[in-house]
Amino acid sequence: MTSYTIPRPVSGDVVDLILADHRLFEELMRELRDSSSDRESARQAFAAVLIAHGEAEEEKVYPRLRRKEAIDEHEAEHGEEEHAEINRALLDLLECAGTDTQKFDDAVEAMNEVLQHHLTEEELTILNPARDEVSDQDRADLGAAFLEVRGRHLDQGVGIEQVRSLVEQAEQDGLLDDED
């Protein structure tokens, strides 16, 4: 499937696990910008881990942090809106026929912009409160739940039709503005 190895930890603090994925996203973005790298493999690995990560956060992390009152409804909803924007940028990236075109480079640049915004905001407004207001044991338990969902999605793989479906669902749910 891909020549990039996606780490598959079996346990850990949810904050550390999410941060490890964030660093992996940044590493894969560097590969996508590098014309001498295997950009197609990097694109496939990036898509797989990005979707698995986002789905695990929305299914397990955001709801549990809301119940623990570490984040409020607005922060969780904003995170989901940003995931929808990222998924739309991912769809644009996946729809590029090749990896050696200006269209691909433009799609990488657009992806990087929305991704970096989200990573910074999530680390400040979601992960910091999780560190400060959720016990070590709860973060470990949440890490296990996050990894279970992330692993399930990685096992299923990701294709352009799945990303298209996620974007269409986000549009129906009102998570994406028409002008975005």
Side-chain angles (χ1 to χ4, degrees), residues 55-116:
E55 293 296 297
E57 282 185 337
E58 289 185 24
E59 185 176 324
K60 296 294 182 179
V61 178
Y62 293 172
R64 178 104 42 105
L65 291 178
R66 280 190 60 214
R67 283 195 302 276
K68 295 280 182 189
E69 297 183 0
I71 63 171
D72 62 25
E73 183 176 345
H74 170 75
E75 289 161 330
E77 185 175 302
H78 187 69
E80 291 174 9
E81 289 168 352
E82 289 185 348
H83 285 170
E85 292 169 2
I86 289 168
N87 289 346
R88 181 167 36 202
L90 178 60
L91 181 59
D92 292 343
L93 187 65
L94 293 173
E95 287 177 335
C96 293
T99 61
D100 59 349
T101 65
Q102 186 61 49
K103 180 179 179 183
F104 180 82
D105 290 346
D106 291 346
V108 168
E109 184 177 345
M111 168 55 78
N112 191 62
E113 186 176 312
V114 295
L115 180 68
Q116 288 303 320

Side-chain angles (χ1 to χ4, degrees), residues 75 118-131:
E75 289 161 330
H118 174 68
L119 299 184
T120 299
E121 236 177 53
E122 184 173 75
E123 289 174 17
L124 290 170
T125 65
I126 294 178
L127 298 185
N128 278 338
R131 275 188 195 99

Side-chain angles (χ1 to χ4, degrees), residues 143-157:
F146 171 81
L147 289 173
E148 185 274 321
V149 174
R150 180 184 181 270
R152 181 170 20 97
H153 282 279
L154 287 173
D155 290 344
Q156 292 170 352

